[in-house]
Amino acid sequence: MRRAARAPGFFHTVRMPSLVPGELPVAGGRERRGRLRRLPLLIAAGLATGAAASVPPRVHAAGPGGDPTGAVPSVVAARADPHSLANLDAFRVRHLDLALDVDFVRQRLSGTVDLEVERLDAAATALVLDSHDLVVREAWWVESGRAVRAVAYSKGAPVPGLGEPLQLAVPPGPAGGRFVVRISYQTSPGAGGLQWLTPAQTAGRVAPFLFSQSQSIYARTWIPLQDSPAVRATFTARVHVPPGLRAVMGASNALATPADGWYRFEMPQPIPSYLMAIAVGRIDYRAIGPRTAVFAEPEVVEAAAREFADTERMIEACERLYGPYRWGRYDLLILPPSFPYGGMENPRLSFVTPTLLAGDRSLVSTIAHELAHSWSGNLVTNARWRDFWLNEGFTTFLERRIVGALYGARRESMEQDLGLQSLRRELGELAPRDQLLAIDLRGRSPEEGVTAVAYEKGRMFLDWVESRLGAAALDRLLREWFEAHAFQSATTEQFREFLLARAEASRPGALDPAQVDEWLYRPGLPAFAVLKTSDVFARVDAQRADWLAGRSGLAQLPASGWSVQEWLHFLDGMPAGLPGARLAELDAQFALNGVRNAEIAFSWLRLAIRAGYEPARPRLEEYLTTIGRRKLIRPLYEELMKSPDGRAFAQAVYAKARPGYHPIAVATLDPIVQGKAAP
Ligand code: BES
Ligand code: ZN
């Protein structure tokens, strides 16, 4: 793997922490600021059209390698990835070298990125990158690690949802050749991919915290790069943090505290941009296995180490099924509660919500899920967001296999059933075009593809293949798929071809291509879908029915022996319109307002809102103001907004909670609670 060459001692000439706009990160007075001119805005494109129009630059800028002819070729007419403004056909970023200072006072990252770029198109003289709300200060042509001359650059007009294309003038050169450009930049306080937390928003309440969330298209809010899952790059990074804080990245993490405050990272395997990840805070760690540790604030690190003690066994189970774990270490970072997701599969270091810390390992399927992405997603990556189900459907399938291997078939069946129920609920609300596995997201946000369709319909497609080929044959096929496409991106169509060819070889006639296409390209669930129905919840169903019909009292329910999954099923299956008095009975018997398990509390609170059960309000307010995980709060706000009284309550609570929510959660909730899109 080639890297950007870097002269030793670079950091002696570049004092990153002191950089301010106008100061140049270059050695030896070679800066040619006087000759640097900005190109005019080159690109105006609409998310709605999904195509970038390009205007050739009219400026004769001081491009590297002499004066450009002015004939910059069209940037991109029809983009391979409708969610990137980069000209992926002409250039590929192969390696990044970051040097960033973390400034909690100004809430910004600032520094440089060196991009090592492979040229695909000999004639191309404009390198177009994705950027979103970045402040670019300078751009340089780099040779042997030294900035040798200024590169002319310009920012195009903002494209709603996609950011501003950043265009750099580069000289033509042979296809296959590589060059390095350095961009000096800083982030904006409102960067969508970063959340800056005050001390009060952390467990320890003494130090601030920063974390990134790059999926799907937020890496461009903290690094200028080609922000497409079709592009993979290796990276190295240096991150400077204030005394007493630790920086971690989805990369190799050194445990020693550097005396100079500069943490160093290396990611030798090429990864897509949406897996770029960083966090900074008062972060401690505990080893929990030979290649596994938890990173967390000191206040929660012990609890996390206990909760996730099975992680090494999960890795081994997945390796037995799908081949070796290819990333070296697998660590977990427990974030503060505003983390908007259950988990995020950042390579070598999954980011997870503290709402998994239930005390009884009952919610660890999310760890199985994020770990499984080390094969499905991180090793073989959806080429476009249209192919998101290749990431999430496969991962949900692998997650259930891991859960089955560690916790048995009963637990696996329960999670399958809960997944199917969530899919049924969502299919009832989604437009037909959103019910396809290969979803057309052109002109839309990739977020619109994040539904149970990708996760559970995708998983059910593989269940169906399994019913046709046999479990062992499907596991073998998946293992071969991961091996054949390791460290590559793949499309739905590539998987379709692979699947049909392998199936034909192992069991001729077993898969009907028309049925495969129905799974991929038609809405809803095919009539021939196999529903792995089980009777794991039959007892709970009967017990709920008995209580509802007055045939038994709550004291007779064997609830103390229920698993968390049985509790969820018990509560989720309650009928609409259950009177408040019956909820009072439940609450009196089981102290549901005091339940700390975040999933059970969620099911209870949703039920309480539906029933208008007022005594749950204080707990609901506490829940909504202390948890920022979108899956657990969005449905509660949605439910509240259905009644005038609930609406007033939701708006009052939201006003208090909103400053603590992540920008991604705010963007989702503003339209729901305030009835308007986020600014
Ligand atoms: N990669 C996803 C999270 C994600 C998806 C972030 C799309 C941004 C855009 C992660 O692996 C995931 O699926 N998380 C789930 C948990 C899982 C157990 C279903 C979540 O956060 O709920
Ligand atoms: Zn996932």
Side-chain angles (χ1 to χ4, degrees), residues 63-66 68 91 119 121-126 141 149 151 168-174 179:
F91 298 97
R119 167 185 289 285
D121 175 350
T125 53
W141 187 259
R149 55 183 162 267
V151 167
L168 282 74
V170 297
F179 59 87

Side-chain angles (χ1 to χ4, degrees), residues 72 89 200 288 339 444 507-508 532:
V72 175
D89 298 339
I288 56 172
F339 185 60
R444 301 201 274 162
R507 254 201 203 198
K532 275 195 183 165

Side-chain angles (χ1 to χ4, degrees), residues 345 369-370 373 391-392 395 455:
E345 66 271 24
H369 180 96
E370 304 315 331
H373 274 305
N391 277 18
E392 297 300 345
T395 295
Y455 288 80

Side-chain angles (χ1 to χ4, degrees), residues 78-91:
R79 276 184 260 109
D81 179 346
H83 297 106
S84 170
L85 298 172
N87 54 345
L88 307 176
D89 298 339
F91 298 97

Side-chain angles (χ1 to χ4, degrees), residues 213 215-216 341-343 345 366 369-370 373 388 392 450 455:
Q213 169 57 44
Q215 196 179 14
S216 302
Y341 294 106
E345 66 271 24
T366 297
H369 180 96
E370 304 315 331
H373 274 305
F388 182 60
E392 297 300 345
V450 186
Y455 288 80

